[in-house]
Amino acid sequence: MDRIERRARAWRQSHAWGAAVASAAFAWGAHAQEVAGQAAAAASGMAVPTSVSVPQARLDAAARDDKNFLLTNGNYAQTRYYPAKQINTTNVARLKPAFIFQTEVVESMETAPVVVDGVMYITTSYNHIYALDAATGKEFWHYKHKQGPVTTFCCGPNNRGVAVLNDRVFMATLDAKMVALDAKTGKVLWSTQIADPEKGYSETMAPVAVDGKVLIGTNGGEYGVRGFVKAYDANDGKLLWTFYSIPEKGHEGVWAVNDATGRNMLRDIAAEKKTLADKGGDFYQTLGGGVWMAPAVDRESKTVIFVVGNPSPDLYGAERPGDNLYTNSMVAVDLETGAYKWHYQYIAHDVWDLDAASPVILTEAAGKDGKMRKVAIHGGKTGHVYVHDRATGELIRFSEAMIPQENMWVLPTKEGQRMLPGANGGVEWSPMAINPQLRLAYAANLHQPMTYHVEEAKYPGGSKLWLGGAFKVIPGEKQSGRLVAVNIDTGKIAWKFDTDQPLIGGVLATAGGLVFNGEGNGLFRAFDAKTGKKLWEYQCGAGVNAPAVSYSVGGKQYVAVAAGGNTQIDFKRGNSVVVFALP
Amino acid sequence: MAALTAALTAASTLAQPATPPAKAQACAACHGIDGNSTTPLYPVLAGQTTRYLYLQLRDFQEGRRSNELMSPMVAGLTRDEMRELADWFAQQKPRSTGFKPDPEKARLGKLKADETLCTMCHLGGFAGQNEIPRVAGQHRDYIVKQLTDFKQGKRTNDAGNMTSVARTLNEKDIENLANYLGGL
């Protein structure tokens, strides 16, 4: 670094400090110092002994990179397809643990490790980051985020991983901050407040770094927030743009009668229109619409494509007449400005918490005329895989139902109404993977029979869970999971593998013809990507409820997955990342 | 237990006050100075999240929750005082209440808790998180009273979540849940 660059960096850092202090001003009393003090925090341990640098060109080439895993979902298209085949259908049965790394936090793990030139970055619940030797498990540094006084999140103190760009790693936190750390040392370079946690905002998603920006959405669909995606300058944490997933005007939409599959959603639209006319539309500020899983980035068209979560409150819809745009939708915005491009809503005026969560995948699939088109696909809590035109959002097809559906869309009552799938899915937040040669998307599904109960509930202020009702599972009815392969050109199910427990955590596909997926009982498995035949499994000792990744170091391919269990479905907790290789 | 450990780890990131704030003396008669009440109808505050305690105080003050003893007690507290009290009691260690649960009732209580997805909000081990209270080891009588109040609509500061859940519980369910949770 020359003198000018050093001076420029010092200037950026001093201004980032200012931004952090200013943004912390709404934190309470003495705690404000803790918030601002983040900029001085450092990781314990030692520096990574090699250089760490991920320029944009490497990130753009991530889909073809058979040594690294540079984004939590593999690449900007989020295919979770790792293009190496040393571990394959012929030898996966011999897969053995190479090492097990234990963190100091025993709680739900949803992290997808990011691996750069033999250095692995993992996160834990409560926002710890570890930098490890990806071949041995040796710990380099360990950063513990010091939470501010308020954290508000519904479903576990999770974190789903870091983003990397150049010499930095980025993590979003439960107290709704973004921190940028030196990838080599763990030193905090800047920290900025994304939103006010006292209003219900928090972060569990992995950010995405692209073109000098760090993209981040928000949790909060259970807290009456106004959802968004924001872009920050990777250099100094300055806010570049905000796209609100709840528009101030027009959130009533088109008063859709049917869902994306053409089924009537039993809305009383006349009553909704009257309510809107009587009370106005100011509830947009608390209408929810969290964007809580990583967005895909279409580099060619400079478009960010993501899905938006449920409206708030989850079950009591009388508070929020209209379609509640852009909740339960796939949305595309401009990468440079955050300007709206298009959206497609799956469920208007959702009162079942069937929000869109599983990350968007960008790929190609046959159009209705059989010609290949650039598409964006999403696995829904409804149990369908949806295939959209990438340029317009037009729905090209939806898959066969992957799990049982019953009584859709019966309205919740005080006494409770049964409807399948339950509020957790179909496909919950779990990222899907695809195999572009086989034309298959792999989706981890839950079958969790539930009754839906509604209860009138006014907005309680931005710091309390605001469901306006409850979900209950049904005694005596078995809950289960199903890994499903869907042909994206036809929507037909190619194969399925049933599991004892509902599946939550995500999928990895590899060029070795394999699909990896874990279960809450601790079993991590490999399947033949073409047939669904189980080829290997290993008991990890705690729930495998995180998406696996793969990478290579020194010519050896590894598969890594976190085994820490899950808060939401109460799977056995742990604190390990288990890394496998061939003997 | 694992979840509890993690939750306490997170809580410990707050500054640890060495002595109770002055206003805590007023709480001590019912809740104990360390938040371990010995009267079954007064809740154990020790080990609750600071967020939950602060919000309950705020709700009492602003009338979203009412109790003939608590409402006047919090009427004059400032926001910082409520924060200090919440921090203090959150950082105290909960002790066993000595409650001996009926094993069969506790078994049925666990089944009902599973069915009602309680841990989705209250966290594994019922340790509580954010604005959701720790109910593990809470007094049996207090649990019965709160669930009954939610069921009867006497307590309504829950944004519709607990009132909705409690509506589906009968008296036996509540008794069983109280045995299960009180014995954790």
Side-chain angles (χ1 to χ4, degrees), chain A residues 368-488:
Chain A
K368 289 172 184 166
D369 58 1
K371 291 181 184 166
M372 295 303 277
R373 292 166 77 171
K374 290 181 178 176
V375 298
I377 68 175
H378 164 64
K381 279 186 174 181
T382 52
H384 297 288
V385 173
Y386 301 94
V387 179
H388 301 263
D389 183 285
R390 204 190 300 177
T392 64
E394 172 200 353
L395 182 65
I396 298 170
R397 70 177 54 84
F398 58 90
S399 74
E400 297 177 82
M402 295 183 281
I403 51 163
Q405 296 176 329
E406 286 178 30
N407 215 18
M408 294 172 84
W409 298 96
V410 67
L411 297 174
T413 61
K414 285 180 183 295
E415 295 71 30
Q417 287 286 348
R418 171 195 169 89
M419 184 183 91
L420 302 183
N424 285 327
V427 187
E428 234 269 1
W429 64 266
S430 313
M432 296 194 300
I434 61 166
N435 182 313
Q437 284 76 43
L438 296 175
R439 318 297 309 138
L440 297 178
Y442 304 98
N445 283 266
L446 303 93
H447 169 64
Q448 201 173 25
M450 282 186 177
T451 49
Y452 293 82
H453 304 252
V454 69
E455 192 78 17
E456 180 177 346
K458 299 294 181 192
Y459 183 50
S463 49
K464 284 183 183 166
L465 195 71
W466 186 31
L467 301 181
F471 327 104
K472 291 181 70 176
V473 296
I474 301 171
E477 291 203 24
K478 182 170 168 49
Q479 302 181 28
S480 59
R482 180 174 286 173
L483 184 67
V484 181
V486 169
N487 185 310
I488 56 177

Side-chain angles (χ1 to χ4, degrees), chain B residues 52-78:
Chain B
Y52 176 73
L53 293 172
Y54 168 74
L55 288 174
Q56 297 307 304
L57 288 170
R58 199 182 70 178
D59 280 2
F60 278 122
Q61 192 171 66
E62 296 177 4
R64 284 186 290 273
R65 187 176 174 186
S66 66
N67 175 281
E68 57 186 13
L69 290 174
M70 282 299 295
S71 298
M73 294 284 276
V74 300
L77 295 178
T78 66

Side-chain angles (χ1 to χ4, degrees), chain A residues 28 31 34 104-107 126 145-157 198 223 414-415 424 448 450 453-458 460 463-473 475 567-568 570 573, chain B residues 2-10 13-15 50-51 54-56 58-59 64 79-80 83 87 112 114-117 119-121 123-125 129-132 157-165 167-169:
Chain A
W28 281 327
H31 294 285
E34 294 175 17
E104 74 171 43
V105 181
V106 182
E107 183 50 279
Y126 300 111
H145 180 68
K146 197 172 181 183
Q147 303 289 352
V150 179
T151 55
T152 308
F153 47 86
C154 74
C155 307
E198 194 172 359
Y223 288 89
K414 285 180 183 295
E415 295 71 30
N424 285 327
Q448 201 173 25
M450 282 186 177
H453 304 252
V454 69
E455 192 78 17
E456 180 177 346
K458 299 294 181 192
S463 49
K464 284 183 183 166
L465 195 71
W466 186 31
L467 301 181
F471 327 104
K472 291 181 70 176
V473 296
T567 297
Q568 194 169 337
D570 204 18
R573 309 300 202 280
Chain B
L4 172 61
T5 307
L8 291 175
T9 302
T13 58
L14 293 171
T50 187
R51 187 90 192 116
Y54 168 74
L55 288 174
Q56 297 307 304
R58 199 182 70 178
D59 280 2
R64 284 186 290 273
R79 189 162 88 154
D80 280 350
R83 288 272 308 146
D87 276 358
K112 184 56 69 174
D114 290 344
E115 172 194 327
T116 315
L117 301 173
T119 57
M120 197 183 280
C121 296
L123 209 63
Q129 59 174 338
N130 301 318
E131 79 284 9
I132 308 293
N157 68 328
D158 65 313
N161 315 322
M162 282 305 298
T163 41
S164 182
V165 167
R167 181 186 296 279
T168 67
L169 304 174

Side-chain angles (χ1 to χ4, degrees), chain A residues 117-130:
Chain A
D117 299 333
V119 181
M120 176 187 290
Y121 297 95
I122 59 171
T123 62
T124 72
S125 278
Y126 300 111
N127 300 120
H128 294 222
I129 308 177
Y130 289 87

Side-chain angles (χ1 to χ4, degrees), chain A residues 161-175:
Chain A
V162 301
V164 294
L165 177 63
N166 297 324
D167 58 353
R168 297 177 173 197
V169 296
F170 305 91
M171 175 178 66
T173 66
L174 296 174
D175 55 348

